[in-house]
């Protein structure tokens, strides 16, 4: 087989490059459509477009660092776990649980002076 000229080699490389670019565009469009299906199933109308855009941009920029987890995003409410001040133990008989900070009982207790 005769050796390819530099011009023929360049034409072949450009044709391969075009084919790869088209494959990348097709794969990108398919992935975006798959994600669009996910978004269509979510109640996104509950947030503003500005907040939605900011949330998606934050998720995309967080994943650009090569991580697979969306770091820095607010976890869903179901995933959050809080521990009560008493360690999760129920109050003993005759004992009241401590009022939550900022509740009317806690601000009332702080405002009234202690009996002498």
């Amino acid at each position: 087989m005769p050796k390819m000229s530099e011009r023929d080699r360049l034409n072949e490389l450009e044709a391969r490059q075009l084919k790869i670019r088209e494959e990348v565009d097709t794969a990108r469009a398919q992935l975006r459509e798959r994600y669009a299906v996910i978004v269509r199933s979510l109640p996104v109308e509950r947030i503003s477009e500005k907040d939605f855009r900011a949330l998606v941009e934050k998720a995309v920029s967080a994943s650009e660092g090569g991580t697979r987890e969306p770091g820095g995003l607010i976890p869903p409410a179901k995933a959050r776990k809080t521990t009560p001040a008493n360690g999760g133990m129920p109050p003993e008989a005759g004992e009241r649980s401590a009022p939550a900070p900022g509740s009317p009982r806690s601000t009332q207790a702080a405002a009234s002076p202690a009996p002498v």
Side-chain angles (χ1 to χ4, degrees), residues 7-116:
R7 178 177 243 187
D8 291 338
R9 184 171 178 269
L10 179 62
N11 286 336
E12 184 179 318
L13 289 172
E14 287 176 343
R16 279 195 256 166
Q17 184 180 34
L18 178 63
K19 183 178 177 183
I20 289 173
R21 189 176 306 129
E22 289 171 353
E23 287 180 29
V24 167
D25 290 342
T26 301
R28 181 175 289 122
Q30 288 173 346
L31 182 62
R32 287 179 177 182
E33 183 58 36
R34 203 165 110 204
Y35 284 7
V37 169
I38 294 169
V39 171
R40 281 188 211 112
S41 69
L42 298 173
V44 296
E45 63 276 1
R46 294 182 184 171
I47 60 175
S48 70
E49 183 176 341
K50 181 181 176 183
D51 290 342
F52 177 76
R53 181 175 295 278
L55 187 66
V56 172
E57 286 175 354
K58 187 170 184 177
V60 170
S61 66
S63 67
E64 286 176 348
T67 62
R68 291 180 161 229
E69 296 179 22
L73 297 178
I74 300 169
K78 293 178 186 175
R80 292 187 203 137
K81 292 187 178 181
T82 58
T83 305
N86 64 356
M89 301 297 296
E92 293 183 21
E95 181 182 302
R96 284 199 218 174
S97 60
S103 70
R105 271 185 30 200
S106 71
T107 54
Q108 187 178 34
S112 61
V116 180

